[in-house]
Amino acid sequence: MTQFYNAYLNLPNHFYRAVKPQPMLEADLVHCNQPLAHQLGLNFSAQQWLDITCGVAFPDGWTPIAQKYTGHQFGYYNPQLGDGRGVLLGQVNDAHDQAWDVHLKGSGQTPFSRQGDGRAVLRSAVREYLIGEALHALGVPTTRCLALCHGLENVRRDGLEPRATYLRVAKTHIRFGHFEWLAQQNDVVSFKALANYVIQTVYPDLATLPEPERYAQLLNTIVSRTAQMIALWQKVGFCHGVMNTDNMSVAGETFDFGPYAFLDDCQLHYVCNHSDTQGRYAYSQQPSMGLWNCQVLISAFAHVISEADAQHAAELYINTYNQAYLSGLCAKLGLANSLPQDKHFVADTLILLEQSSLDFHVFFNKLVYFNVEQRHCQSNPFTEFVGDSQAWQQWATRYQARLALEHANQEAAQNNLLHTALNPTQFETQRVALINTNTPQLVLRNYIAQEIIEAAQRKDYAPLTQWVHALREPFSVCDALKAYSAPPSQKGQKGLALSCSS
């Protein structure tokens, strides 16, 4: 039988405040994430899903609370933070005994709302539902939505918008900002209590380690997972938009979505948040901002680890990110084994894409058609896409040489192992397969999300259902959505920037 509980209540009571959600009445159950519900062993009826998601009634064992934390927002420390428009209901364990937090968003004001109304709007709820499924299918660690409701009540943002509530599932809702808060208070006892809670609920393998090694390894794990996550963001062309430390999860999951976007044209300094006037969280800045955030976390952990451990954690982020990013981009280029010098080829490729105003995702899809024998044919899709300029001819020569080196290195390795080396045809098949498994055919571009939102606001939920299913299989595309795999048109579809209210 499924057990519902809230382990966060075992922490000192100054970590949270009990909150009674403000129910959303006269609501529709827009969508329920059945695969995720099945994973969690949840078999609620439609009415139960509606009651939980609207904040009307919860299973015994779930106790709504708002967590207290702080954080750096756009580089400035803000001590007045906490769950302002959502409550942690509690946890449930899956069949593998992995604990999952369930959080109700848009449930009304809390003691940390800071003059806000604590509500969510349908626009932002649909966007978070979609992106969770999209990133999960792309292999990017992320929070996901379990259910979504839409009510008649209007909420004022830029204008009046329909209210929504939704359930978010994550391995934990502990943020970097939780540790910042306790470090600022110089509360080492509470800091260790929180660290032990994270170890118990997220990283139980660390529980047997003695102090201070336990906390040093916890920090290393958080830093390493953060670096890997951001490398995956860069690989899939994802822009988070608001990488404040209170939006960084200690589980290394993509967390707290606002004005996110996938790249359209390869604009390396693209800023998806029009509130980010300095470009702090531009696509190109995400790796360095990840390091900056980890350095803030490392500083907080200085209370419980040595200076040498702190230095190691910073170096670990850099080394982990560089390795994960290079291997990820090489895979998109069809290179199974990355070499240190490939970082120059990867960088030059992206710069040339930007200079040529070419679509980031479509380029890699077309790259499967790159073929030494076919490249100069008039009907070659790759040449048609990039053009036959001198710059791209030079790039093709470099790529061809790198493929030849890859093939030669594989042959040498296989000969040393007394295995039969791949012939040219087999090698080409491997290259194409590697690109295809690392490059989606279907990408959740912002104009697509907007179409789905506008339909939902008319109470037409069919597009949402269709796209949720499609985004779960992004490496293939059904005939009905084939047009969406092409680059977006120039007419208001490219490079959309959104606000934090998104």
Side-chain angles (χ1 to χ4, degrees):
M1 182 177 178
T2 303
Q3 297 294 315
F4 303 99
Y5 61 98
N6 194 332
Y8 205 74
L9 296 173
N10 295 325
L11 290 167
N13 57 17
H14 64 280
F15 278 56
Y16 59 86
R17 301 288 186 274
V19 175
K20 185 177 181 180
Q22 298 167 358
M24 183 173 63
L25 304 177
E26 298 184 82
D28 295 328
L29 181 64
V30 175
H31 207 275
C32 180
N33 192 334
Q34 291 296 345
L36 182 56
H38 179 74
Q39 176 188 337
L40 301 180
L42 300 177
N43 298 305
F44 298 130
S45 68
Q47 185 62 50
Q48 287 175 309
W49 280 118
L50 180 63
D51 289 344
I52 295 168
T53 310
C54 290
V56 172
F58 308 109
D60 291 341
W62 277 356
T63 304
I65 58 171
Q67 297 175 317
K68 169 61 186 171
Y69 47 84
T70 62
H72 279 77
Q73 298 185 313
F74 290 89
Y76 297 95
Y77 183 69
N78 186 345
Q80 306 299 324
L81 298 179
D83 286 336
R85 65 183 188 101
V87 291
L88 177 64
L89 298 179
Q91 293 80 37
V92 63
N93 288 28
D94 63 20
H96 304 288
D97 207 32
Q98 166 70 54
W100 295 92
D101 275 3
V102 180
H103 195 273
L104 176 61
K105 296 196 68 175
S107 55
Q109 289 183 322
T110 78
F112 310 116
S113 293
R114 293 182 296 156
Q115 310 303 314
D117 59 27
R119 286 159 165 72
V121 296
L122 184 62
R123 168 172 49 95
S124 59
V126 168
R127 283 177 57 81
E128 184 154 347
Y129 202 114
L130 290 168
I131 192 60
E133 296 308 285
L135 289 179
H136 178 70
L138 293 173
V140 181
T142 182
T143 60
R144 297 170 69 190
C145 286
L146 186 56
L148 167 62
C149 286
H150 173 201
L152 296 178
E153 178 185 353
N154 284 325
V155 177
R156 183 168 294 281
R157 291 296 180 261
D158 296 332
L160 289 177
E161 298 188 46
R163 184 185 174 190
T165 52
Y166 53 108
L167 297 175
R168 177 172 67 188
V169 173
K171 288 182 178 175
T172 187
H173 279 74
I174 306 301
R175 310 152 188 264
F176 286 18
H178 280 84
F179 287 106
E180 287 185 78
W181 165 54
L182 296 170
Q184 288 287 334
Q185 300 294 316
N186 291 313
D187 188 346
V188 177
V189 173
S190 292
F191 191 101
K192 289 182 177 180
L194 182 64
N196 289 332
Y197 173 84
V198 173
I199 289 169
Q200 176 189 356
T201 56
V202 187
Y203 304 116
D205 291 347
L206 304 180
T208 59
L209 296 176
E211 296 184 21
E213 181 185 357
R214 183 192 318 160
Y215 304 127
Q217 288 303 318
L218 171 61
L219 178 62
N220 288 342
T221 304
I222 296 170
V223 165
S224 176
R225 290 201 176 190
T226 301
Q228 293 173 41
M229 175 189 72
I230 295 176
L232 287 169
W233 289 1
Q234 301 303 104
K235 173 186 172 182
V236 301
F238 174 76
C239 307
H240 184 278
V242 194
M243 291 176 62
N244 297 331
T245 58
D246 59 298
N247 293 340
M248 301 296 291
S249 165
V250 299
E253 293 181 322
T254 315
F255 194 66
D256 269 3
F257 297 101
Y260 69 78
F262 284 97
L263 292 177
D264 291 317
D265 288 348
C266 185
Q267 296 176 301
L268 300 180
H269 304 298
Y270 171 59
V271 180
C272 64
N273 181 355
H274 70 58
S275 303
D276 184 9
T277 56
Q278 302 300 312
R280 177 180 177 86
Y281 299 135
Y283 172 75
S284 60
Q285 296 301 307
Q286 291 184 143
S288 61
M289 285 298 99
L291 175 59
W292 193 95
N293 289 339
C294 283
Q295 287 172 329
V296 169
L297 183 66
I298 291 167
S299 295
F301 266 74
H303 292 75
V304 294
I305 63 172
S306 70
E307 185 176 341
D309 287 333
Q311 179 63 32
H312 173 74
E315 294 172 353
L316 179 63
Y317 175 93
I318 295 170
N319 294 333
T320 302
Y321 173 80
N322 286 339
Q323 181 177 356
Y325 175 76
L326 186 60
S327 62
L329 266 292
C330 282
K332 287 178 76 76
L333 289 165
L335 303 171
N337 302 291
S338 61
L339 302 174
Q341 60 268 31
D342 286 335
K343 64 183 181 182
H344 303 296
F345 181 58
V346 167
D348 291 344
T349 299
L350 295 178
I351 290 170
L352 183 54
L353 278 173
E354 180 174 52
Q355 292 172 343
S356 305
S357 298
L358 293 177
D359 189 276
F360 177 86
H361 310 281
V362 176
F363 168 77
F364 292 102
N365 284 320
K366 298 295 185 183
L367 188 59
V368 299
Y369 299 105
F370 181 96
N371 183 286
V372 177
E373 288 75 21
Q374 300 294 325
R375 189 157 47 84
H376 298 293
C377 297
Q378 291 183 350
S379 61
N380 182 272
F382 176 76
T383 304
E384 289 178 351
F385 179 72
V386 302
D388 200 24
S389 66
Q390 183 178 3
W392 279 108
Q393 289 174 6
Q394 292 172 346
W395 182 90
T397 300
R398 287 179 67 185
Y399 183 53
Q400 184 176 328
R402 179 60 183 87
L403 290 174
L405 177 61
E406 176 86 354
H407 193 193
N409 288 344
Q410 287 189 16
E411 284 185 321
Q414 288 165 338
N415 288 337
N416 288 337
L417 295 172
L418 301 178
H419 291 164
T420 302
L422 294 176
N423 63 42
T425 300
Q426 292 171 324
F427 178 77
E428 172 65 4
T429 300
Q430 173 187 276
R431 181 190 75 90
V432 169
L434 190 58
I435 295 172
N436 282 335
T437 55
N438 285 275
T439 304
Q441 298 287 324
L442 206 58
V443 177
L444 180 63
R445 302 178 190 267
N446 267 339
Y447 85 92
I448 297 173
Q450 187 58 32
E451 289 181 4
I452 300 167
I453 290 165
E454 291 174 1
Q457 289 173 336
R458 299 190 301 269
K459 292 200 171 186
D460 178 5
Y461 307 134
L464 174 62
T465 299
Q466 180 183 35
W467 274 97
V468 164
H469 286 294
L471 291 170
R472 289 175 182 154
E473 298 182 1
F475 299 98
S476 60
V477 56
C478 64
D479 290 341
L481 300 177
K482 207 76 172 178
Y484 291 96
S485 63
S489 72
Q490 298 287 345
K491 297 180 180 179
Q493 293 184 341
K494 285 188 178 182
L496 300 177
L498 303 172
S499 70
C500 289
S501 70
S502 301

